[in-house]
Structure formats: structure tokens, C-alpha cells
Amino acid sequence: MMISTKGRYALRVMIDLAEHNSGNHIPLKDITNRQEISQKYLEGIMTDLTKAGFLDGQHGKGGGYKLNRSPDEITVLEILQTTEGDLAPISCLDVSAKPCSRAAECRTLPMWEKLYDIIHDYFNGITIADLMKTDTGGDNYII
């Protein structure tokens, strides 16, 4: 599994919107300038995030985007599933996959299922609010 630029940028945008949340819509131009992401590319991501219900978008003067939920209510899993689709490590575990005729005797399937669960549990345990934190722990001191 490799997370695409679209998924990584979506996370950056969600963090940006959370950090600059004033209750007003934030112009896309402001986000693109801060994040150094092409406006054209970001428009597609914003459309996906808006359709998924994470953002409220408004056109025209005073328009832009704002979060529909609190950053501590939005998980990384939700964002990545919106931009990447299912995060299955193998095709037979994808939610849209046809049942595998070899599943009953597949010796590797339990391993892949466990990895799939680990991925979901890990990303579901991280929120946008968690990603907003700038502390990196106590092990990066300078003498």
C-alpha cells in the first residue's frame, strides 16, 4: 500500500483548515499559498472532501472552505478512505472485491487480514487534532 500525493495533500489541507479556523470560510488561494500546492490539483481534492461531508464550500466573495466537524472528530482513516479508497493491502480484501475461491485454503490470508486490521486501527486512532500538535516528544534535545 502506498498513499498517493492526493491522500497526503488532503491531510495537509485538513490540518491547514483546522489551524486557521476562525469560523469563516478560508479562500482556496490562501491554502494553496501556505501549502504550496497547485490550485488546480487542490480543487479536485476539495471537491472530494466536500462531497464526503468534511468541508463546507462556498463560492463567490467571502467564499472558500471550512471544516464541518471539529478536528478531534475527523480521523486520518476517514480522509485516506475518501481520497485513496479502501486501504486493503491486497486486492482480495478490497471491499469491492469478488469473493476469492481460494480463501478457505489460503495460508497467507490471515496475515493480510491482520495487516488490514492494523492499518485501520492505526489510522482510525489518529485525528486531525493529533496531527496539529507540533511537539515531537522529548528525545530531540540539543546540547
Side-chain angles (χ1 to χ4, degrees):
M1 172 191 66
M2 184 174 290
I3 304 300
S4 71
T5 304
K6 185 177 184 180
R8 294 190 320 267
Y9 285 2
L11 290 170
R12 284 174 47 190
V13 165
M14 294 296 286
I15 295 165
D16 186 280
L17 287 168
E19 289 177 337
H20 295 91
N21 182 14
S22 65
N24 298 320
H25 287 84
I26 300 170
L28 185 60
K29 187 176 180 180
D30 292 355
I31 301 165
T32 61
N33 288 338
R34 283 192 296 266
Q35 294 302 315
E36 298 177 344
I37 301 172
S38 155
Q39 184 167 337
K40 183 90 170 152
Y41 190 66
L42 202 51
E43 286 171 355
I45 294 171
M46 300 308 258
T47 298
D48 291 345
L49 293 172
T50 302
K51 284 181 183 177
F54 296 111
L55 304 178
D56 175 36
Q58 184 174 322
H59 296 288
K61 186 175 173 116
Y65 296 90
K66 66 179 181 177
L67 297 178
N68 274 339
R69 294 188 288 175
S70 170
D72 62 349
E73 297 173 351
I74 303 169
T75 68
V76 169
L77 179 64
E78 293 175 298
I79 301 303
L80 292 179
Q81 285 177 326
T82 298
T83 57
E84 304 292 325
D86 193 26
L87 299 177
I90 57 173
S91 61
C92 65
L93 290 179
D94 192 277
V95 293
S96 62
K98 296 177 185 170
C100 177
S101 62
R102 296 189 40 85
E105 63 265 357
C106 181
R107 292 183 177 186
T108 62
L109 185 59
M111 172 189 67
W112 295 120
E113 288 172 331
K114 186 169 182 168
L115 176 60
Y116 190 52
D117 291 342
I118 290 168
I119 292 167
H120 274 202
D121 291 345
Y122 180 71
F123 287 141
N124 199 40
I126 303 170
T127 66
I128 296 301
D130 294 329
L131 296 177
M132 291 170 62
K133 297 174 184 170
T134 57
D135 62 327
T136 56
D139 61 352
N140 61 347
Y141 58 89
I142 300 172
I143 297 177

